[in-house]
């Protein structure tokens, strides 16, 4: 299970313990959820980062990609927290 699945599992256990108990296979459920979250984050991060300028300095590129990744994680995980619960 990836870290997003683990985060989702902890969130559900804290906010909806009865729903977690009702899952047939919690491990598989949160593993799949984590993979879905990771894919959504990757896709959004690529969109937010945009194309790489040909003359972009290395450190600027690292900063652009890191910022896009953090923003994508924030948006996707916030959306998960707002839609579940």
């Amino acid at each position: 299970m990836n870290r997003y699945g683990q985060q989702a599992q902890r969130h559900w256990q804290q906010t909806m313990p009865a729903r977690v108990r009702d899952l047939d296979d919690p491990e598989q459920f949160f593993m799949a959820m984590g993979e879905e979250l990771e894919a959504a984050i990757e896709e959004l991060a690529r969109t937010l980062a945009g194309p790489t300028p040909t003359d972009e300095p290395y450190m600027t590129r690292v900063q652009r990609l890191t910022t896009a990744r953090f923003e994508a994680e924030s948006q996707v995980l916030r959306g998960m927290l707002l839609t579940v619960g």
Side-chain angles (χ1 to χ4, degrees), residues 53-67:
T54 55
D55 61 343
E56 182 176 43
Y58 174 76
M59 290 308 294
T60 302
R61 180 177 186 198
V62 169
Q63 182 179 18
R64 179 176 54 82
L65 295 175
T66 300
T67 300

Side-chain angles (χ1 to χ4, degrees), residues 2 4-5 8-9 12 28-38 80 84:
N2 66 23
Y4 304 115
Q9 186 175 30
W12 278 50
Q28 180 58 38
F29 179 84
F30 290 109
M31 186 179 302
M33 181 183 282
E35 290 170 3
E36 290 175 22
L37 289 167
E38 185 171 29
M80 177 203 60
V84 178

Side-chain angles (χ1 to χ4, degrees), residues 15-31:
T15 61
M16 302 175 290
R19 284 186 68 184
V20 174
R21 284 190 301 272
D22 290 342
L23 294 172
D24 291 332
D25 186 350
E27 182 76 17
Q28 180 58 38
F29 179 84
F30 290 109
M31 186 179 302

